[in-house]
Amino acid sequence: TTKGNYEAELNRIFNKQLCLLYAQSFESFERFLKDCLYKKMTNDSELSAFIDKQVNKNIPRPLSRAKMPGGDELFKILKKAGGHSFKEFSEGNNLHIPFKELWTILSETRHSITHNDSEISISFLKKSNNHWAIFEYLFESKVVSEDTVLITLDYKKFDRLNKRFAEFAYQLFKILS
């Protein structure tokens, strides 16, 4: 690092740390959801039967807390466990963002930050206009190639992301309560 690129280097470090902080937050949230859904499953035979029928057959049965799936499989369980309230909150939340699309962006950006050094496919982000708009609202990005962007965060964007993520988590908590 030289005096000439000191600011750029600091911004790169801040960006990396903010992205990792977000990824860690999402992983903690996902762990919390797994705990809640596993507890609900043990007390709800209908949810347990749904999981046995619908969730990835490669997961050993009976399903243990340690084997609770993540990603889209976890979202399917969450949607089923939430029932009518889930649909109501997804359609009528204060950001007017469908939960599935928000979940997809939050989950995939976490995955990209953790496993792809913050690079994510533009074609994935543009699978719908909503997906792209959600991504742009919550994250910054820099073009890396024709089909890849680098996820970036500054303090202002991180603050927005953190608030929206907390609102989403709270809504899911209310649905499951």
Side-chain angles (χ1 to χ4, degrees), residues 21-65:
L21 183 58
Y22 162 70
Q24 187 176 27
S25 298
F26 185 86
E27 288 168 359
S28 294
F29 173 65
E30 192 174 49
R31 192 170 35 257
F32 171 74
L33 281 179
K34 288 178 181 183
D35 290 343
C36 291
L37 291 168
Y38 181 75
K39 183 71 172 168
K40 190 169 182 82
M41 178 193 82
T42 59
N43 297 318
D44 182 338
S45 58
E46 184 180 330
L47 180 60
S48 185
F50 169 81
I51 292 169
D52 281 340
K53 277 176 88 173
Q54 299 294 322
V55 177
N56 189 335
K57 298 296 183 194
N58 296 328
I59 298 169
R61 301 294 196 252
L63 187 63
S64 67
R65 166 54 191 91

Side-chain angles (χ1 to χ4, degrees), residues 5-18:
N5 70 350
Y6 191 71
E7 183 178 356
E9 184 65 13
L10 277 176
N11 286 336
R12 186 189 67 73
I13 292 167
F14 287 147
N15 169 63
K16 180 78 169 172
Q17 291 304 308
L18 292 172

Side-chain angles (χ1 to χ4, degrees), residues 59-177:
I59 298 169
R61 301 294 196 252
L63 187 63
S64 67
R65 166 54 191 91
K67 299 295 182 186
M68 284 290 285
D72 287 342
E73 295 290 319
L74 181 63
F75 186 82
K76 287 178 193 175
I77 298 169
L78 177 62
K79 186 176 178 181
K80 178 66 175 175
H84 180 70
S85 294
F86 184 91
K87 185 176 181 181
E88 188 178 305
F89 276 67
S90 181
E91 293 172 355
N93 64 72
N94 59 345
L95 291 177
H96 309 291
I97 298 174
F99 284 169
K100 175 60 177 154
E101 292 172 358
L102 181 58
W103 176 269
T104 299
I105 293 299
L106 293 174
S107 177
E108 289 300 322
T109 52
R110 192 258 355 137
H111 181 83
S112 295
I113 289 166
T114 304
H115 301 291
N116 298 331
D117 207 23
S118 298
E119 291 185 5
I120 191 167
S121 166
I122 293 172
S123 59
F124 172 80
L125 294 171
K126 290 189 174 182
K127 68 185 344 179
S128 78
N129 289 338
N130 249 3
H131 284 85
W132 181 248
I134 294 165
F135 177 78
E136 284 191 312
Y137 179 70
L138 297 175
F139 297 92
E140 295 288 333
S141 64
K142 294 179 182 173
V143 175
V144 173
S145 70
E146 196 173 290
D147 189 48
T148 307
V149 294
L150 180 70
I151 300 164
T152 61
L153 285 169
D154 60 19
Y155 283 111
K156 288 181 182 178
K157 233 8 172 189
F158 181 76
D159 183 55
R160 177 186 291 172
L161 171 62
N162 202 33
K163 287 176 182 173
R164 298 310 169 244
F165 184 50
E167 288 172 1
F168 178 57
Y170 179 67
Q171 289 173 340
L172 293 180
F173 175 75
K174 283 175 40 178
I175 289 167
L176 293 175
S177 296

